[in-house]
Amino acid sequence: MASATVSSETEKLSKLRSAVSGLNQISESEKCGFINLVSRYMSGEAEHIEWSKIKTPTDEVVVPYNTLAQPPEDSAQIRKLLDKLAVLKLNGGLGTTMGCTGPKSVIEVCNGLTFLDLIVIQIESLNKKYGCNVPLLLMNSFNTHEDTLKIVQKYAKSNIKIHTFNQSQYPRLVVDDYLPLPSKGQAGKDGWYPPGHGDVFPALLNSGKLDALMSQGKEYIFVANSDNLGAIVDLKILNHLIRNQNEYCMEVTPKTLADVKGGTLISYDGRVQLLEIAQVPDKHVNEFKSIEKFKIFNTNNLWVNLKAVKRLVTANALKMEIIPNPKEVNGVKVLQLETAAGAAIRFFDHAIGVNAPRSRFLPVKASSDLLLVQSDLYTVSDGFVVRNKARTNPENPSIELGPEFKKVADFQRRFKSIPSIVELDSLKVTGDVWFGAGITLKGKVTITAKPGEKLQIPDKSVLKDKEIKSAKDI
């Protein structure tokens, strides 16, 4: 029976190979990468985690941030450090979940500045301060490539070299017969997908960017999501990696109840490894989500040695866990096979985690996050988003906005100005609610508009520990 399965899989793969060879929209390296991914997926080589073998990493493996040595104070020495660095932002995502068209990185976040503006200003100010030359790379997907090329033109005169390159473009797999969707007449964008940010390593090599960076004396690349406002260059981490010759570093941060689904670092068979919720056996999911045993989670701020990337990609050694992502395109069930960059940690030598401050993780995934960063809780200085010291609680307020606020345009219309939230613990808004100007929110505030009714919060209202269901409760 097993041999029949193997022969049918071999047949499927050979049919897939010949169909893929006829797809002239993608390069030979993309074709190879895709076939490689599918054959690994079909062979079912997924690693099964033996729960009993999981160990909590020691402080040598996940280094507490406050134990890192201070970087040199001499600016010539700092310049030497920074000249070994390049910054890469993952820029393949569209802002569709927030109701925007085009790359997510061009959503205005605060002070009229976009994610991309802030990133450029940050690196510019570093280059200016230390006389160094830290370049910025943007890894686009075929979805964001053209728009990004137009957008980066506005930085042409800035003191920063910006390079863009594309991650791989893979065909979606038709579930029924394992043939690529584009070979069945689905020639448009719907036939393709970008295979997750784990693709950053082969894409760097295939695009020629990796060799170009190494020829300029760059040794490390700092990789982060473009929507994480806390992911700024950190000299302490860079200094530590260069001194200790760590090939890979993942920044983790203490887990709160809001982060229970985030991947965590474990020690497993003598190596540091990322454990994602999808790998956890059902009976251990609650244990995984608890913040007692697994106290940290992955911020997706990654520091990686370029020589090591070249060595591992060339040897085809980065066999990260495959994440199957089922979709439906025009009624056809398809499969996207993806990988995540954090899962590569176990293939690098002397890989570590750094247990970094929460301030290094400030992602903007939804309009509730926009409310936080546009409020008086943060200010912007040299492109850096700085938290207000007047906030004594180390955790940010928990904010839940209803679907009426989901799209950025609706969010902007419903707030005349962003309320003061320095003393806010939690805010929950349900229904057709509109906010006036100069409002202050403190403690726990719940605002619920009855179905079919519009609830207006007047200008200059101060709401402290209130539950509001109608105008008379204000």
Side-chain angles (χ1 to χ4, degrees):
M1 185 68 196
S3 63
T5 313
V6 170
S7 68
S8 80
E9 296 205 337
T10 313
E11 201 180 315
K12 266 185 187 171
L13 260 180
S14 89
K15 281 184 176 168
L16 180 64
R17 267 199 186 91
S18 70
V20 168
S21 68
L23 298 174
N24 54 12
Q25 302 95 319
I26 56 174
S27 66
E28 288 307 312
S29 56
E30 284 171 313
K31 290 174 187 177
C32 288
F34 175 66
I35 294 291
N36 197 348
L37 195 61
V38 178
S39 55
R40 277 179 55 213
Y41 176 70
M42 285 170 72
S43 71
E45 65 161 56
E47 292 237 349
H48 292 290
I49 296 282
E50 276 185 57
W51 202 254
S52 57
K53 286 165 71 174
I54 290 176
K55 292 190 169 64
T56 302
T58 62
D59 283 359
E60 280 76 52
V61 177
V62 176
V63 184
Y65 183 83
N66 57 8
T67 66
L68 299 176
Q70 288 298 334
E73 286 181 18
D74 174 49
S75 56
Q77 294 289 97
I78 292 177
R79 178 186 170 166
K80 265 172 106 173
L81 279 181
L82 286 169
D83 277 338
K84 295 178 176 178
L85 182 71
V87 173
L88 188 156
K89 297 289 178 169
L90 301 168
N91 191 49
L94 293 165
T96 41
T97 46
M98 296 175 78
C100 296
T101 54
K104 187 176 178 186
S105 56
V106 297
I107 293 175
E108 281 190 15
V109 211
C110 35
N111 294 9
L113 299 169
T114 67
F115 289 108
L116 210 46
D117 292 336
L118 292 168
I119 292 163
V120 169
I121 296 165
Q122 285 163 20
I123 299 176
E124 259 196 317
S125 56
L126 266 184
N127 286 343
K128 193 172 163 193
K129 186 174 180 181
Y130 297 107
C132 54
N133 179 17
V134 177
L136 170 65
L137 289 89
L138 299 172
M139 182 171 87
N140 302 319
S141 64
F142 60 88
N143 290 315
T144 59
H145 172 67
E146 285 174 16
D147 284 343
T148 304
L149 286 185
K150 287 181 202 140
I151 292 152
V152 296
Q153 286 172 359
K154 77 172 188 176
Y155 309 116
K157 291 191 171 69
S158 64
N159 169 31
I160 174 175
K161 287 199 166 61
I162 300 177
H163 306 269
T164 62
F165 67 102
N166 272 16
Q167 71 176 111
S168 305
Q169 175 173 332
Y170 285 175
R172 284 173 160 159
L173 260 187
V174 178
V175 172
D176 282 349
D177 54 13
Y178 266 60
L179 287 174
L181 193 56
S183 66
K184 300 186 144 196
Q186 190 64 257
K189 277 191 173 178
D190 281 351
W192 306 90
Y193 76 99
H197 48 60
D199 184 54
V200 64
F201 306 115
L204 264 172
L205 183 67
N206 296 338
S207 64
K209 298 297 178 192
L210 184 64
D211 288 334
L213 289 171
M214 285 164 67
S215 71
Q216 294 157 21
K218 304 299 176 193
E219 292 177 21
Y220 280 87
I221 195 155
F222 173 44
V223 180
N225 295 349
S226 62
D227 65 4
N228 179 6
L229 297 175
I232 58 178
V233 170
D234 187 289
L235 291 168
K236 268 173 83 167
I237 296 176
L238 179 62
N239 182 47
H240 182 88
L241 300 180
I242 290 172
R243 282 174 56 176
N244 294 281
Q245 297 191 310
N246 302 106
E247 288 189 347
Y248 186 111
C249 167
M250 174 189 290
E251 291 185 47
V252 291
T253 198
K255 188 155 81 168
T256 67
L257 291 172
D259 317 303
V260 292
K261 290 181 180 170
T264 191
L265 285 182
I266 56 172
S267 286
Y268 192 83
D269 283 345
R271 287 185 89 83
V272 62
Q273 190 164 326
L274 180 68
L275 176 65
E276 297 274 17
I277 194 163
Q279 296 163 278
V280 177
D282 290 349
K283 63 178 179 185
H284 295 292
V285 166
N286 284 344
E287 194 182 342
F288 176 82
K289 286 181 172 180
S290 87
I291 54 180
E292 274 74 53
K293 180 169 180 176
F294 299 103
K295 295 185 166 69
I296 52 173
F297 75 98
N298 170 22
T299 63
N300 219 36
N301 296 350
L302 310 170
W303 302 75
V304 194
N305 178 282
L306 294 170
K307 268 188 192 152
V309 172
K310 181 151 190 183
R311 181 187 79 235
L312 291 165
V313 174
T314 307
N316 197 15
L318 290 178
K319 298 189 185 315
M320 281 98 88
E321 287 77 12
I322 297 170
I323 307 155
N325 187 354
K327 300 259 179 186
E328 202 168 296
V329 178
N330 302 329
V332 179
K333 285 189 167 48
V334 295
L335 194 57
Q336 297 183 180
L337 301 178
E338 301 171 13
T339 58
I345 190 167
R346 64 194 176 97
F347 300 104
F348 288 82
D349 294 336
H350 312 297
I352 57 166
V354 164
N355 195 349
R358 183 76 189 201
S359 58
R360 295 191 53 77
F361 184 66
L362 186 60
V364 178
K365 302 284 183 198
S367 54
S368 52
D369 302 321
L370 270 184
L371 176 55
L372 285 175
V373 297
Q374 292 184 356
S375 73
D376 55 352
L377 205 51
Y378 290 95
T379 49
V380 176
S381 163
D382 286 342
F384 300 109
V385 179
V386 185
R387 201 165 185 269
N388 189 338
K389 287 190 168 62
R391 168 92 177 169
T392 48
N393 184 343
E395 285 189 20
N396 277 344
S398 112
I399 294 175
E400 272 183 73
L401 301 175
E404 295 79 5
F405 292 82
K406 186 178 177 183
K407 293 184 174 173
V408 175
D410 293 335
F411 167 85
Q412 289 166 337
R413 281 187 315 128
R414 286 176 179 273
F415 286 99
K416 246 198 226 174
S417 72
I418 300 294
S420 165
I421 60 170
V422 175
E423 294 176 54
L424 179 69
D425 295 325
S426 65
L427 170 68
K428 186 172 182 183
V429 181
T430 313
D432 188 11
V433 179
W434 297 74
F435 289 82
I439 291 168
T440 304
L441 304 173
K442 301 179 180 188
K444 291 187 174 181
V445 179
T446 308
I447 305 170
T448 311
K450 294 188 181 100
E453 283 183 23
K454 180 177 178 178
L455 182 50
Q456 195 100 32
I457 310 296
D459 294 356
K460 298 195 167 51
S461 303
V462 177
L463 308 180
K464 183 178 180 182
D465 292 323
K466 285 215 161 175
E467 193 169 331
I468 291 160
K469 290 183 174 168
S470 67
K472 64 178 193 315
D473 297 330
I474 297 167

